[in-house]
Tab-separated table of all heavy atoms in Angstrom:
chain	number	residue	atom	x	y	z
A	359	HIS	N	3.595	-27.101	-15.772
A	359	HIS	CA	3.367	-28.058	-16.861
A	359	HIS	C	2.518	-29.234	-16.384
A	359	HIS	O	1.868	-29.908	-17.191
A	359	HIS	CB	4.703	-28.586	-17.394
A	359	HIS	CG	5.549	-27.528	-18.038
A	359	HIS	ND1	5.095	-26.723	-19.051
A	359	HIS	CD2	6.827	-27.131	-17.785
A	359	HIS	CE1	6.048	-25.883	-19.418
A	359	HIS	NE2	7.110	-26.108	-18.659
A	360	VAL	N	2.547	-29.467	-15.064
A	360	VAL	CA	1.745	-30.552	-14.480
A	360	VAL	C	0.488	-29.984	-13.829
A	360	VAL	O	-0.631	-30.434	-14.092
A	360	VAL	CB	2.579	-31.352	-13.455
A	360	VAL	CG1	1.719	-32.448	-12.809
A	360	VAL	CG2	3.808	-31.944	-14.117
A	361	ALA	N	0.683	-28.996	-12.952
A	361	ALA	CA	-0.442	-28.359	-12.249
A	361	ALA	C	-0.935	-27.172	-13.083
A	361	ALA	O	-0.508	-26.038	-12.907
A	361	ALA	CB	0.006	-27.888	-10.866
A	362	ARG	N	-1.831	-27.434	-14.015
A	362	ARG	CA	-2.192	-26.441	-15.019
A	362	ARG	C	-3.459	-25.649	-14.693
A	362	ARG	O	-3.604	-24.521	-15.120
A	362	ARG	CB	-2.385	-27.120	-16.377
A	362	ARG	CG	-1.123	-27.756	-16.922
A	362	ARG	CD	-1.353	-28.282	-18.322
A	362	ARG	NE	-0.131	-28.852	-18.893
A	362	ARG	CZ	-0.023	-29.258	-20.149
A	362	ARG	NH1	-1.054	-29.165	-20.968
A	362	ARG	NH2	1.121	-29.765	-20.591
A	363	TRP	N	-4.405	-26.225	-13.983
A	363	TRP	CA	-5.734	-25.658	-13.904
A	363	TRP	C	-5.858	-24.672	-12.747
A	363	TRP	O	-5.996	-25.045	-11.599
A	363	TRP	CB	-6.778	-26.770	-13.773
A	363	TRP	CG	-6.752	-27.691	-14.958
A	363	TRP	CD1	-6.242	-28.950	-15.010
A	363	TRP	CD2	-7.224	-27.394	-16.270
A	363	TRP	NE1	-6.363	-29.468	-16.274
A	363	TRP	CE2	-6.969	-28.540	-17.080
A	363	TRP	CE3	-7.833	-26.277	-16.856
A	363	TRP	CZ2	-7.303	-28.583	-18.423
A	363	TRP	CZ3	-8.167	-26.331	-18.199
A	363	TRP	CH2	-7.916	-27.468	-18.966
A	364	PHE	N	-5.759	-23.378	-13.074
A	364	PHE	CA	-6.009	-22.297	-12.113
A	364	PHE	C	-5.151	-22.424	-10.857
A	364	PHE	O	-5.567	-22.041	-9.762
A	364	PHE	CB	-7.493	-22.245	-11.716
A	364	PHE	CG	-8.419	-22.097	-12.880
A	364	PHE	CD1	-9.165	-23.174	-13.335
A	364	PHE	CD2	-8.538	-20.888	-13.536
A	364	PHE	CE1	-10.015	-23.043	-14.420
A	364	PHE	CE2	-9.397	-20.754	-14.632
A	364	PHE	CZ	-10.131	-21.826	-15.078
A	365	VAL	N	-3.935	-22.948	-11.015
A	365	VAL	CA	-3.138	-23.225	-9.825
A	365	VAL	C	-2.761	-21.945	-9.089
A	365	VAL	O	-2.816	-21.889	-7.854
A	365	VAL	CB	-1.888	-24.056	-10.202
A	365	VAL	CG1	-0.978	-23.286	-11.164
A	365	VAL	CG2	-1.122	-24.455	-8.956
A	366	ILE	N	-2.352	-20.897	-9.822
A	366	ILE	CA	-1.979	-19.655	-9.147
A	366	ILE	C	-3.195	-19.027	-8.477
A	366	ILE	O	-3.109	-18.503	-7.362
A	366	ILE	CB	-1.324	-18.673	-10.146
A	366	ILE	CG1	-0.019	-19.269	-10.687
A	366	ILE	CG2	-1.054	-17.331	-9.475
A	366	ILE	CD1	1.013	-19.589	-9.617
A	367	GLU	N	-4.362	-19.111	-9.130
A	367	GLU	CA	-5.585	-18.586	-8.527
A	367	GLU	C	-5.918	-19.318	-7.227
A	367	GLU	O	-6.349	-18.707	-6.245
A	367	GLU	CB	-6.748	-18.694	-9.516
A	367	GLU	CG	-6.701	-17.718	-10.670
A	367	GLU	CD	-5.762	-18.143	-11.794
A	367	GLU	OE1	-5.116	-19.209	-11.662
A	367	GLU	OE2	-5.686	-17.407	-12.796
A	368	ILE	N	-5.704	-20.634	-7.216
A	368	ILE	CA	-5.951	-21.407	-5.996
A	368	ILE	C	-5.001	-20.960	-4.889
A	368	ILE	O	-5.418	-20.779	-3.736
A	368	ILE	CB	-5.798	-22.913	-6.273
A	368	ILE	CG1	-6.929	-23.393	-7.192
A	368	ILE	CG2	-5.778	-23.714	-4.974
A	368	ILE	CD1	-6.755	-24.811	-7.684
A	369	PHE	N	-3.740	-20.769	-5.232
A	369	PHE	CA	-2.785	-20.317	-4.218
A	369	PHE	C	-3.123	-18.919	-3.721
A	369	PHE	O	-2.930	-18.613	-2.534
A	369	PHE	CB	-1.362	-20.369	-4.767
A	369	PHE	CG	-0.701	-21.706	-4.580
A	369	PHE	CD1	-0.522	-22.570	-5.646
A	369	PHE	CD2	-0.276	-22.108	-3.325
A	369	PHE	CE1	0.087	-23.810	-5.473
A	369	PHE	CE2	0.326	-23.342	-3.136
A	369	PHE	CZ	0.512	-24.198	-4.207
A	370	HIS	N	-3.629	-18.061	-4.592
A	370	HIS	CA	-4.062	-16.743	-4.136
A	370	HIS	C	-5.172	-16.866	-3.094
A	370	HIS	O	-5.179	-16.133	-2.093
A	370	HIS	CB	-4.553	-15.909	-5.321
A	370	HIS	CG	-3.445	-15.337	-6.148
A	370	HIS	ND1	-3.669	-14.663	-7.313
A	370	HIS	CD2	-2.101	-15.324	-5.975
A	370	HIS	CE1	-2.517	-14.266	-7.835
A	370	HIS	NE2	-1.551	-14.666	-7.029
A	371	LEU	N	-6.114	-17.756	-3.329
A	371	LEU	CA	-7.190	-17.963	-2.354
A	371	LEU	C	-6.632	-18.382	-1.000
A	371	LEU	O	-7.179	-18.029	0.052
A	371	LEU	CB	-8.159	-19.028	-2.858
A	371	LEU	CG	-9.114	-18.642	-3.995
A	371	LEU	CD1	-9.901	-19.857	-4.446
A	371	LEU	CD2	-10.053	-17.535	-3.555
A	372	LEU	N	-5.534	-19.132	-1.018
A	372	LEU	CA	-4.949	-19.638	0.224
A	372	LEU	C	-3.973	-18.651	0.862
A	372	LEU	O	-3.355	-18.962	1.880
A	372	LEU	CB	-4.243	-20.966	-0.043
A	372	LEU	CG	-5.147	-22.106	-0.532
A	372	LEU	CD1	-4.320	-23.331	-0.869
A	372	LEU	CD2	-6.208	-22.436	0.508
A	373	GLY	N	-3.813	-17.472	0.243
A	373	GLY	CA	-2.966	-16.444	0.833
A	373	GLY	C	-1.541	-16.459	0.354
A	373	GLY	O	-0.669	-15.831	0.976
A	374	PHE	N	-1.255	-17.148	-0.760
A	374	PHE	CA	0.097	-17.192	-1.297
A	374	PHE	C	0.250	-16.139	-2.389
A	374	PHE	O	-0.720	-15.718	-3.018
A	374	PHE	CB	0.402	-18.569	-1.887
A	374	PHE	CG	0.570	-19.652	-0.862
A	374	PHE	CD1	-0.535	-20.215	-0.247
A	374	PHE	CD2	1.831	-20.102	-0.518
A	374	PHE	CE1	-0.390	-21.219	0.697
A	374	PHE	CE2	1.990	-21.109	0.422
A	374	PHE	CZ	0.879	-21.667	1.030
A	375	ARG	N	1.489	-15.731	-2.627
A	375	ARG	CA	1.793	-14.829	-3.733
A	375	ARG	C	2.945	-15.428	-4.533
A	375	ARG	O	3.766	-16.175	-3.991
A	375	ARG	CB	2.194	-13.435	-3.231
A	375	ARG	CG	3.429	-13.420	-2.346
A	375	ARG	CD	3.690	-12.019	-1.831
A	375	ARG	NE	4.799	-11.984	-0.900
A	375	ARG	CZ	6.079	-11.810	-1.250
A	375	ARG	NH1	6.384	-11.669	-2.516
A	375	ARG	NH2	7.037	-11.778	-0.349
A	376	LYS	N	2.998	-15.104	-5.800
A	376	LYS	CA	4.064	-15.633	-6.647
A	376	LYS	C	5.391	-14.992	-6.265
A	376	LYS	O	5.497	-13.774	-6.184
A	376	LYS	CB	3.745	-15.362	-8.113
A	376	LYS	CG	4.729	-16.006	-9.071
A	376	LYS	CD	4.226	-15.956	-10.496
A	376	LYS	CE	4.110	-14.540	-11.016
A	376	LYS	NZ	3.701	-14.492	-12.427
A	377	HIS	N	6.388	-15.812	-6.049
A	377	HIS	CA	7.699	-15.295	-5.643
A	377	HIS	C	8.657	-15.214	-6.830
A	377	HIS	O	9.391	-14.258	-6.990
A	377	HIS	CB	8.292	-16.180	-4.549
A	377	HIS	CG	9.612	-15.701	-4.027
A	377	HIS	ND1	9.704	-14.686	-3.105
A	377	HIS	CD2	10.875	-16.078	-4.310
A	377	HIS	CE1	10.986	-14.465	-2.843
A	377	HIS	NE2	11.717	-15.293	-3.556
A	378	SER	N	8.649	-16.245	-7.658
A	378	SER	CA	9.533	-16.242	-8.819
A	378	SER	C	8.990	-17.215	-9.849
A	378	SER	O	8.168	-18.080	-9.550
A	378	SER	CB	10.967	-16.626	-8.427
A	378	SER	OG	11.000	-17.926	-7.872
A	379	SER	N	9.459	-17.073	-11.089
A	379	SER	CA	8.975	-17.912	-12.178
A	379	SER	C	10.085	-18.140	-13.188
A	379	SER	O	10.766	-17.199	-13.587
A	379	SER	CB	7.777	-17.247	-12.862
A	379	SER	OG	7.348	-17.993	-13.978
A	380	GLU	N	10.288	-19.411	-13.590
A	380	GLU	CA	11.302	-19.712	-14.595
A	380	GLU	C	11.025	-21.077	-15.201
A	380	GLU	O	10.913	-22.076	-14.487
A	380	GLU	CB	12.708	-19.697	-13.972
A	380	GLU	CG	13.818	-19.868	-14.995
A	380	GLU	CD	15.195	-19.757	-14.364
A	380	GLU	OE1	15.272	-19.486	-13.159
A	380	GLU	OE2	16.183	-19.956	-15.091
A	381	HIS	N	10.877	-21.106	-16.532
A	381	HIS	CA	10.720	-22.350	-17.287
A	381	HIS	C	9.585	-23.221	-16.741
A	381	HIS	O	9.737	-24.429	-16.559
A	381	HIS	CB	12.022	-23.146	-17.297
A	381	HIS	CG	13.201	-22.377	-17.813
A	381	HIS	ND1	13.211	-21.768	-19.065
A	381	HIS	CD2	14.409	-22.085	-17.239
A	381	HIS	CE1	14.369	-21.155	-19.236
A	381	HIS	NE2	15.112	-21.326	-18.157
A	382	GLY	N	8.443	-22.597	-16.466
A	382	GLY	CA	7.290	-23.355	-16.007
A	382	GLY	C	7.309	-23.720	-14.540
A	382	GLY	O	6.423	-24.439	-14.067
A	383	ILE	N	8.317	-23.256	-13.799
A	383	ILE	CA	8.401	-23.525	-12.363
A	383	ILE	C	8.094	-22.235	-11.607
A	383	ILE	O	8.740	-21.209	-11.805
A	383	ILE	CB	9.799	-24.045	-11.967
A	383	ILE	CG1	10.133	-25.317	-12.745
A	383	ILE	CG2	9.865	-24.292	-10.458
A	383	ILE	CD1	9.179	-26.468	-12.492
A	384	GLU	N	7.106	-22.288	-10.747
A	384	GLU	CA	6.733	-21.142	-9.914
A	384	GLU	C	7.076	-21.443	-8.460
A	384	GLU	O	6.951	-22.587	-8.014
A	384	GLU	CB	5.226	-20.870	-10.011
A	384	GLU	CG	4.680	-20.709	-11.404
A	384	GLU	CD	4.807	-19.297	-11.915
A	384	GLU	OE1	5.342	-18.455	-11.174
A	384	GLU	OE2	4.382	-19.033	-13.047
A	385	VAL	N	7.513	-20.428	-7.743
A	385	VAL	CA	7.666	-20.526	-6.298
A	385	VAL	C	6.672	-19.562	-5.674
A	385	VAL	O	6.697	-18.365	-5.963
A	385	VAL	CB	9.099	-20.191	-5.840
A	385	VAL	CG1	9.182	-20.223	-4.309
A	385	VAL	CG2	10.102	-21.162	-6.436
A	386	VAL	N	5.762	-20.088	-4.867
A	386	VAL	CA	4.756	-19.252	-4.218
A	386	VAL	C	4.987	-19.282	-2.715
A	386	VAL	O	5.382	-20.304	-2.144
A	386	VAL	CB	3.334	-19.718	-4.557
A	386	VAL	CG1	3.020	-19.501	-6.027
A	386	VAL	CG2	3.129	-21.186	-4.201
A	387	THR	N	4.738	-18.144	-2.085
A	387	THR	CA	5.041	-17.984	-0.666
A	387	THR	C	3.847	-17.384	0.067
A	387	THR	O	3.233	-16.436	-0.420
A	387	THR	CB	6.266	-17.068	-0.467
A	387	THR	OG1	7.375	-17.623	-1.181
A	387	THR	CG2	6.624	-16.933	1.009
Side-chain angles (χ1 to χ4, degrees):
H359 295 306
V360 178
R362 296 186 178 187
W363 299 105
F364 304 105
V365 62
I366 297 301
E367 287 80 359
I368 292 172
F369 273 106
H370 282 174
L371 286 175
L372 298 175
F374 289 77
R375 60 184 176 89
K376 186 168 65 176
H377 182 80
S378 61
S379 176
E380 186 176 357
H381 305 304
I383 302 299
E384 307 274 1
V385 176
V386 293
T387 303

